[in-house]
Amino acid sequence: MTNRITIAEAAQHVGETVEIAGWLYNLRKSGKIVFPIVRDGTGLMQGVALKNNLPEDVFENLKHLTQESSLLVRGKLRAEARAPGGYEMDVESVDILQKVSEADPYPITPKDHGVEFLMDHRHLWLRSQRQHAIIRVRHEIIKAVRDYFDNHGFTLVDTPIFTPAACEGTTTLFEVNYFDDEKAYLTQSGQLYNEANAMAFGKVYCFGPTFRAEKSKTRRHLTEFWMVEPEMAFADLEEIKRVAEEFVVYIVGRVLDKRREELKVLERDTTKLEAVQSPFVRMSYDDAVKNLQAHGSEIQWGSDFGGGDETILTQQFDRPMLVDRFPSEIKAFYMAPDPDRPEVALGVDVLAPEGYGEIIGGGQRIHDPELLLRRIEEHKLPKEAFDWYIDLRKYGTVPHGGFGMGIERAVAWICGLEHIRETIAFPRMLYRLRP
Amino acid sequence: MTNRITIAEAAQHVGETVEIAGWLYNLRKSGKIVFPIVRDGTGLMQGVALKNNLPEDVFENLKHLTQESSLLVRGKLRAEARAPGGYEMDVESVDILQKVSEADPYPITPKDHGVEFLMDHRHLWLRSQRQHAIIRVRHEIIKAVRDYFDNHGFTLVDTPIFTPAACEGTTTLFEVNYFDDEKAYLTQSGQLYNEANAMAFGKVYCFGPTFRAEKSKTRRHLTEFWMVEPEMAFADLEEIKRVAEEFVVYIVGRVLDKRREELKVLERDTTKLEAVQSPFVRMSYDDAVKNLQAHGSEIQWGSDFGGGDETILTQQFDRPMLVDRFPSEIKAFYMAPDPDRPEVALGVDVLAPEGYGEIIGGGQRIHDPELLLRRIEEHKLPKEAFDWYIDLRKYGTVPHGGFGMGIERAVAWICGLEHIRETIAFPRMLYRLRP
């Protein structure tokens, strides 16, 4: 039996006769030769099939084979610089597993399709080279994220998806019917639980899907997105900023190191990614507001940035920005105030360059039990739901903090994508729950 | 300023004066000496504090310090075989950050507490050595799972949590209010989407939380649990069994290699884990039924195993079992029938030894479009909801399959735990949604 290999393994089998199992990606014909390009999920392999070398029916069947038909091809491998992937197969035999019907052909052709059509056919669209490149970069980013934390002494502690109460405000919660008429809510952030875990393990991270029922239909929002959230006991704002910067440099470096080919498919300008080095631009919220006003924004001190503001800011620099000390008023109840200026919070956002904007938000949490209780009252939150969270300030409270990075926003930035919908296999949005 | 280290780093700092930031785990007194044991999430460090070496108030405060108070201790490190962790600190100074109130002491003391009490205080219970060991083994298993698939050519493709339809039957679905009165369901398995991804990438895996609204209150059920699911194009049942076996051997080996200390804390009999080697016991469902009947079970051919049946089976062998070819009737609609015996399905379960039972379920999927359509009709499933799934059989169908492993069951087995509730930081069960 012929040795079956994947296309990614071709380099180790030059000169050998091997079998590749895959799908017909493209076919060119030239008289007595056909050039089938086969994909197997790991790459593309061009075959060279000569009429004279194959039984007549095999050659004819191959010649009329339809896109995405499944097949086994066997033949000898040659290095061939002009072929996609750098290798070519002299086809010796072909088994067609399924010929896609000519009456009902594969719906995604090389011509342009509208986005809604492609999204409706997401289960098939994923077979395209561009989507492969994005998903492989996403995989690399996720690996890099985990490696960074695993190699820096963080313990992975998964936080729950079902939560009894809101963390980031109640208007954007998805409600679930739990048992016996109880209600649960889908997590918007693992942070509160992360704080308990940090008091147990010192440095922790969680990494899973999070949910926001936002009725916004922008190129930056999904209702279901993955977030990684580290949390550190005994960490202050400066340490949180240091870790966030080192972390972002690390993941961008890993993608440049391992996924050059994919970035090329995406036509990503890699010089922009190579510029992502320490030190990042550091700016206070105060200075950012002045900068924005000087660039024509109508923002006033006390407001959050609009998407347009982040674009104005981040287009001025070639590397990410750390913006810190936002007004406490616009931040979550648990954000620690600056002791020297309590009207600002010890929070930080990391904004990606090229107009991408916020990819990370974080900061120091309140560790003083009385201040936390006051904030829970001021925000009119149900104290009983936070009893366990208050416990963390009663039994050995320490300064602590962390941040969250949305994976899809990081993928969109690193891949250079216009819209976040391509950063995940099956995106979920306001009007998109299928396939 | 004194160099701050974690307790895990002590070995590299013997003879140095260092600072450790943590919580008081325990305190012994002996006249003019106190022995505070500090935990920092990475380990335990015993301090030796002599009355004569410290200011009187510092010594007195330390002597009366309460459990879980937060503090900084500084001093010189010594190797000391009798101390927990193997090192000891000669205390030179102490800063108490927060003394836990004597009137409202840390609720979890070394005495025995009931399980409900501990579960209600899960946010604090996680600070105990036993819970640390379990969560660290869990982290290692998750790393090993990802490393196995990453190193064997699988692409990570996350599948959606919000799904429009059921995969494994409709009675155990959690329903979510999506927008504008639409309903979504929380995923019970990423498998159907995995199949689309396998047709795009060849070999894929997804790894995330899954949900079952089962009204069962057993030691093996959570409503929210993490599952890893690989799926492979061009794979038959034998290949799926081969991968499942190699995978289980790999993750058990990794835990033995990296987490001996934690297994010791859990008093796990590691000889039982060392026996987990290839080849696993292989048995058909037919033979398993005969075996069970011979051991007194009342099972009849055609029924699924009860929990007791899995215990009877797995206590006979020192390594996991692969049981295959279950009756098609009791398996999901997408399971491929054995071509030689269509009344049985090409499915396989992996049962862990020592009575733990099923940790993996999987098999070959139907790839014939007509048979799949027939099964969807027989199971009275709404065809429209599966149109995209049927597409996978129209556009280049190939034999394929995979499996799913529930992480919490694997953790329970490898750690040797009685109940699954300790295998995740914040377990969710029928009557448990808090903290």
Side-chain angles (χ1 to χ4, degrees), chain A residues 346-373:
Chain A
L346 296 175
V348 60
D349 282 0
V350 181
L351 310 183
E354 303 172 70
Y356 277 94
E358 188 191 337
I359 51 169
I360 281 179
Q364 233 183 288
R365 327 301 182 186
I366 291 172
H367 69 283
D368 176 53
E370 282 165 27
L371 178 57
L372 182 67
L373 270 172

mmCIF file of all heavy atoms in Angstrom, chain A residues 346-373:
data_model
loop_
_atom_site.group_PDB
_atom_site.id
_atom_site.type_symbol
_atom_site.label_atom_id
_atom_site.label_comp_id
_atom_site.label_asym_id
_atom_site.label_seq_id
_atom_site.Cartn_x
_atom_site.Cartn_y
_atom_site.Cartn_z
ATOM 1 N N LEU A 346 -7.054 53.468 38.714
ATOM 2 C CA LEU A 346 -5.776 52.841 38.359
ATOM 3 C C LEU A 346 -6.011 51.768 37.289
ATOM 4 O O LEU A 346 -5.675 50.604 37.460
ATOM 5 C CB LEU A 346 -5.109 52.252 39.601
ATOM 6 C CG LEU A 346 -4.703 53.280 40.667
ATOM 7 C CD1 LEU A 346 -4.157 52.581 41.901
ATOM 8 C CD2 LEU A 346 -3.679 54.268 40.103
ATOM 9 N N GLY A 347 -6.604 52.215 36.196
ATOM 10 C CA GLY A 347 -6.901 51.296 35.085
ATOM 11 C C GLY A 347 -6.048 51.623 33.881
ATOM 12 O O GLY A 347 -5.524 52.735 33.761
ATOM 13 N N VAL A 348 -5.901 50.654 33.009
ATOM 14 C CA VAL A 348 -5.113 50.858 31.788
ATOM 15 C C VAL A 348 -5.774 50.127 30.617
ATOM 16 O O VAL A 348 -6.314 49.035 30.781
ATOM 17 C CB VAL A 348 -3.650 50.360 31.978
ATOM 18 C CG1 VAL A 348 -3.601 48.877 32.307
ATOM 19 C CG2 VAL A 348 -2.797 50.673 30.752
ATOM 20 N N ASP A 349 -5.757 50.776 29.470
ATOM 21 C CA ASP A 349 -6.171 50.126 28.222
ATOM 22 C C ASP A 349 -4.951 50.017 27.322
ATOM 23 O O ASP A 349 -4.115 50.927 27.299
ATOM 24 C CB ASP A 349 -7.226 50.962 27.483
ATOM 25 C CG ASP A 349 -8.628 50.816 28.093
ATOM 26 O OD1 ASP A 349 -8.776 50.064 29.078
ATOM 27 O OD2 ASP A 349 -9.550 51.468 27.576
ATOM 28 N N VAL A 350 -4.850 48.929 26.593
ATOM 29 C CA VAL A 350 -3.834 48.838 25.543
ATOM 30 C C VAL A 350 -4.552 49.020 24.208
ATOM 31 O O VAL A 350 -5.514 48.300 23.912
ATOM 32 C CB VAL A 350 -3.090 47.484 25.566
ATOM 33 C CG1 VAL A 350 -2.028 47.440 24.460
ATOM 34 C CG2 VAL A 350 -2.447 47.245 26.925
ATOM 35 N N LEU A 351 -4.094 49.989 23.438
ATOM 36 C CA LEU A 351 -4.692 50.262 22.129
ATOM 37 C C LEU A 351 -3.717 49.797 21.053
ATOM 38 O O LEU A 351 -2.539 50.164 21.061
ATOM 39 C CB LEU A 351 -4.965 51.761 21.962
ATOM 40 C CG LEU A 351 -5.716 52.484 23.099
ATOM 41 C CD1 LEU A 351 -5.958 53.955 22.726
ATOM 42 C CD2 LEU A 351 -7.032 51.804 23.410
ATOM 43 N N ALA A 352 -4.214 48.997 20.131
ATOM 44 C CA ALA A 352 -3.381 48.523 19.030
ATOM 45 C C ALA A 352 -3.245 49.628 17.978
ATOM 46 O O ALA A 352 -4.168 50.429 17.799
ATOM 47 C CB ALA A 352 -3.981 47.258 18.417
ATOM 48 N N PRO A 353 -2.097 49.670 17.284
ATOM 49 C CA PRO A 353 -1.861 50.738 16.304
ATOM 50 C C PRO A 353 -2.704 50.550 15.032
ATOM 51 O O PRO A 353 -3.530 49.637 14.956
ATOM 52 C CB PRO A 353 -0.364 50.622 16.021
ATOM 53 C CG PRO A 353 -0.006 49.228 16.360
ATOM 54 C CD PRO A 353 -0.952 48.793 17.441
ATOM 55 N N GLU A 354 -2.467 51.419 14.073
ATOM 56 C CA GLU A 354 -3.135 51.375 12.767
ATOM 57 C C GLU A 354 -4.641 51.549 12.879
ATOM 58 O O GLU A 354 -5.397 51.066 12.035
ATOM 59 C CB GLU A 354 -2.840 50.049 12.038
ATOM 60 C CG GLU A 354 -1.370 49.757 11.814
ATOM 61 C CD GLU A 354 -1.174 48.341 11.276
ATOM 62 O OE1 GLU A 354 -1.539 48.098 10.120
ATOM 63 O OE2 GLU A 354 -0.669 47.480 12.041
ATOM 64 N N GLY A 355 -5.065 52.218 13.943
ATOM 65 C CA GLY A 355 -6.489 52.472 14.092
ATOM 66 C C GLY A 355 -7.276 51.338 14.704
ATOM 67 O O GLY A 355 -8.494 51.437 14.852
ATOM 68 N N TYR A 356 -6.626 50.249 15.103
ATOM 69 C CA TYR A 356 -7.381 49.103 15.635
ATOM 70 C C TYR A 356 -7.987 49.372 17.005
ATOM 71 O O TYR A 356 -9.068 48.908 17.315
ATOM 72 C CB TYR A 356 -6.527 47.825 15.625
ATOM 73 C CG TYR A 356 -6.576 47.194 14.251
ATOM 74 C CD1 TYR A 356 -5.596 47.467 13.311
ATOM 75 C CD2 TYR A 356 -7.642 46.398 13.874
ATOM 76 C CE1 TYR A 356 -5.669 46.936 12.033
ATOM 77 C CE2 TYR A 356 -7.729 45.865 12.609
ATOM 78 C CZ TYR A 356 -6.736 46.130 11.685
ATOM 79 O OH TYR A 356 -6.835 45.618 10.425
ATOM 80 N N GLY A 357 -7.255 50.118 17.831
ATOM 81 C CA GLY A 357 -7.838 50.489 19.122
ATOM 82 C C GLY A 357 -7.779 49.386 20.165
ATOM 83 O O GLY A 357 -6.977 48.455 20.065
ATOM 84 N N GLU A 358 -8.674 49.490 21.158
ATOM 85 C CA GLU A 358 -8.574 48.683 22.378
ATOM 86 C C GLU A 358 -8.533 47.180 22.117
ATOM 87 O O GLU A 358 -9.420 46.620 21.497
ATOM 88 C CB GLU A 358 -9.761 48.982 23.295
ATOM 89 C CG GLU A 358 -9.604 48.302 24.663
ATOM 90 C CD GLU A 358 -10.873 48.341 25.503
ATOM 91 O OE1 GLU A 358 -11.724 49.211 25.287
ATOM 92 O OE2 GLU A 358 -10.995 47.461 26.381
ATOM 93 N N ILE A 359 -7.463 46.548 22.617
ATOM 94 C CA ILE A 359 -7.422 45.085 22.631
ATOM 95 C C ILE A 359 -7.346 44.559 24.064
ATOM 96 O O ILE A 359 -7.674 43.404 24.313
ATOM 97 C CB ILE A 359 -6.239 44.498 21.814
ATOM 98 C CG1 ILE A 359 -4.911 45.142 22.216
ATOM 99 C CG2 ILE A 359 -6.492 44.666 20.320
ATOM 100 C CD1 ILE A 359 -3.693 44.429 21.644
ATOM 101 N N ILE A 360 -6.892 45.416 24.987
ATOM 102 C CA ILE A 360 -6.739 45.004 26.386
ATOM 103 C C ILE A 360 -7.325 46.088 27.281
ATOM 104 O O ILE A 360 -7.150 47.275 27.015
ATOM 105 C CB ILE A 360 -5.233 44.804 26.718
ATOM 106 C CG1 ILE A 360 -4.735 43.454 26.197
ATOM 107 C CG2 ILE A 360 -4.964 44.925 28.224
ATOM 108 C CD1 ILE A 360 -3.264 43.181 26.458
ATOM 109 N N GLY A 361 -8.024 45.653 28.334
ATOM 110 C CA GLY A 361 -8.454 46.564 29.377
ATOM 111 C C GLY A 361 -8.153 45.920 30.718
ATOM 112 O O GLY A 361 -8.326 44.705 30.859
ATOM 113 N N GLY A 362 -7.680 46.718 31.684
ATOM 114 C CA GLY A 362 -7.377 46.118 32.974
ATOM 115 C C GLY A 362 -7.050 47.161 34.005
ATOM 116 O O GLY A 362 -7.322 48.345 33.806
ATOM 117 N N GLY A 363 -6.468 46.704 35.092
ATOM 118 C CA GLY A 363 -6.073 47.650 36.127
ATOM 119 C C GLY A 363 -6.039 47.012 37.497
ATOM 120 O O GLY A 363 -6.197 45.795 37.642
ATOM 121 N N GLN A 364 -5.830 47.888 38.484
ATOM 122 C CA GLN A 364 -5.799 47.436 39.872
ATOM 123 C C GLN A 364 -7.220 47.415 40.405
ATOM 124 O O GLN A 364 -8.034 48.272 40.050
ATOM 125 C CB GLN A 364 -4.954 48.429 40.678
ATOM 126 C CG GLN A 364 -3.853 47.771 41.472
ATOM 127 C CD GLN A 364 -3.099 48.778 42.317
ATOM 128 O OE1 GLN A 364 -2.342 49.584 41.772
ATOM 129 N NE2 GLN A 364 -3.284 48.741 43.627
ATOM 130 N N ARG A 365 -7.513 46.432 41.272
ATOM 131 C CA ARG A 365 -8.855 46.318 41.851
ATOM 132 C C ARG A 365 -8.830 46.928 43.258
ATOM 133 O O ARG A 365 -7.782 46.954 43.916
ATOM 134 C CB ARG A 365 -9.281 44.855 41.956
ATOM 135 C CG ARG A 365 -8.769 43.932 40.889
ATOM 136 C CD ARG A 365 -9.174 44.312 39.492
ATOM 137 N NE ARG A 365 -8.680 43.328 38.509
ATOM 138 C CZ ARG A 365 -8.806 43.489 37.203
ATOM 139 N NH1 ARG A 365 -9.342 44.590 36.691
ATOM 140 N NH2 ARG A 365 -8.365 42.568 36.376
ATOM 141 N N ILE A 366 -9.975 47.331 43.723
ATOM 142 C CA ILE A 366 -10.077 47.828 45.099
ATOM 143 C C ILE A 366 -9.779 46.671 46.057
ATOM 144 O O ILE A 366 -10.375 45.604 45.933
ATOM 145 C CB ILE A 366 -11.494 48.374 45.377
ATOM 146 C CG1 ILE A 366 -11.720 49.656 44.571
ATOM 147 C CG2 ILE A 366 -11.703 48.597 46.866
ATOM 148 C CD1 ILE A 366 -13.148 50.168 44.624
ATOM 149 N N HIS A 367 -8.833 46.887 46.976
ATOM 150 C CA HIS A 367 -8.615 45.820 47.954
ATOM 151 C C HIS A 367 -9.007 46.240 49.368
ATOM 152 O O HIS A 367 -8.998 45.423 50.279
ATOM 153 C CB HIS A 367 -7.181 45.283 47.892
ATOM 154 C CG HIS A 367 -6.118 46.216 48.371
ATOM 155 N ND1 HIS A 367 -5.659 47.271 47.620
ATOM 156 C CD2 HIS A 367 -5.411 46.238 49.526
ATOM 157 C CE1 HIS A 367 -4.701 47.907 48.291
ATOM 158 N NE2 HIS A 367 -4.542 47.301 49.448
ATOM 159 N N ASP A 368 -9.397 47.476 49.536
ATOM 160 C CA ASP A 368 -9.853 47.950 50.843
ATOM 161 C C ASP A 368 -11.313 47.534 51.037
ATOM 162 O O ASP A 368 -12.180 47.885 50.238
ATOM 163 C CB ASP A 368 -9.736 49.477 50.895
ATOM 164 C CG ASP A 368 -10.281 50.031 52.196
ATOM 165 O OD1 ASP A 368 -9.860 49.572 53.265
ATOM 166 O OD2 ASP A 368 -11.170 50.912 52.122
ATOM 167 N N PRO A 369 -11.608 46.763 52.097
ATOM 168 C CA PRO A 369 -12.977 46.227 52.239
ATOM 169 C C PRO A 369 -14.042 47.317 52.364
ATOM 170 O O PRO A 369 -15.126 47.190 51.795
ATOM 171 C CB PRO A 369 -12.896 45.361 53.509
ATOM 172 C CG PRO A 369 -11.577 45.613 54.142
ATOM 173 C CD PRO A 369 -10.695 46.291 53.144
ATOM 174 N N GLU A 370 -13.728 48.406 53.095
ATOM 175 C CA GLU A 370 -14.765 49.425 53.301
ATOM 176 C C GLU A 370 -15.066 50.189 52.015
ATOM 177 O O GLU A 370 -16.225 50.480 51.711
ATOM 178 C CB GLU A 370 -14.344 50.380 54.414
ATOM 179 C CG GLU A 370 -14.572 49.731 55.770
ATOM 180 C CD GLU A 370 -13.853 50.453 56.887
ATOM 181 O OE1 GLU A 370 -13.626 51.680 56.748
ATOM 182 O OE2 GLU A 370 -13.506 49.781 57.885
ATOM 183 N N LEU A 371 -14.018 50.507 51.279
ATOM 184 C CA LEU A 371 -14.225 51.202 50.012
ATOM 185 C C LEU A 371 -15.031 50.326 49.045
ATOM 186 O O LEU A 371 -15.943 50.810 48.360
ATOM 187 C CB LEU A 371 -12.864 51.584 49.394
ATOM 188 C CG LEU A 371 -12.937 52.271 48.034
ATOM 189 C CD1 LEU A 371 -13.776 53.537 48.086
ATOM 190 C CD2 LEU A 371 -11.517 52.595 47.538
ATOM 191 N N LEU A 372 -14.721 49.039 49.025
ATOM 192 C CA LEU A 372 -15.452 48.149 48.125
ATOM 193 C C LEU A 372 -16.940 48.128 48.486
ATOM 194 O O LEU A 372 -17.807 48.229 47.611
ATOM 195 C CB LEU A 372 -14.874 46.726 48.173
ATOM 196 C CG LEU A 372 -15.575 45.755 47.219
ATOM 197 C CD1 LEU A 372 -15.312 46.108 45.765
ATOM 198 C CD2 LEU A 372 -15.150 44.312 47.476
ATOM 199 N N LEU A 373 -17.229 48.015 49.787
ATOM 200 C CA LEU A 373 -18.630 48.011 50.223
ATOM 201 C C LEU A 373 -19.333 49.295 49.807
ATOM 202 O O LEU A 373 -20.481 49.272 49.344
ATOM 203 C CB LEU A 373 -18.694 47.858 51.748
ATOM 204 C CG LEU A 373 -18.752 46.426 52.250
ATOM 205 C CD1 LEU A 373 -18.606 46.393 53.767
ATOM 206 C CD2 LEU A 373 -20.079 45.773 51.837
#
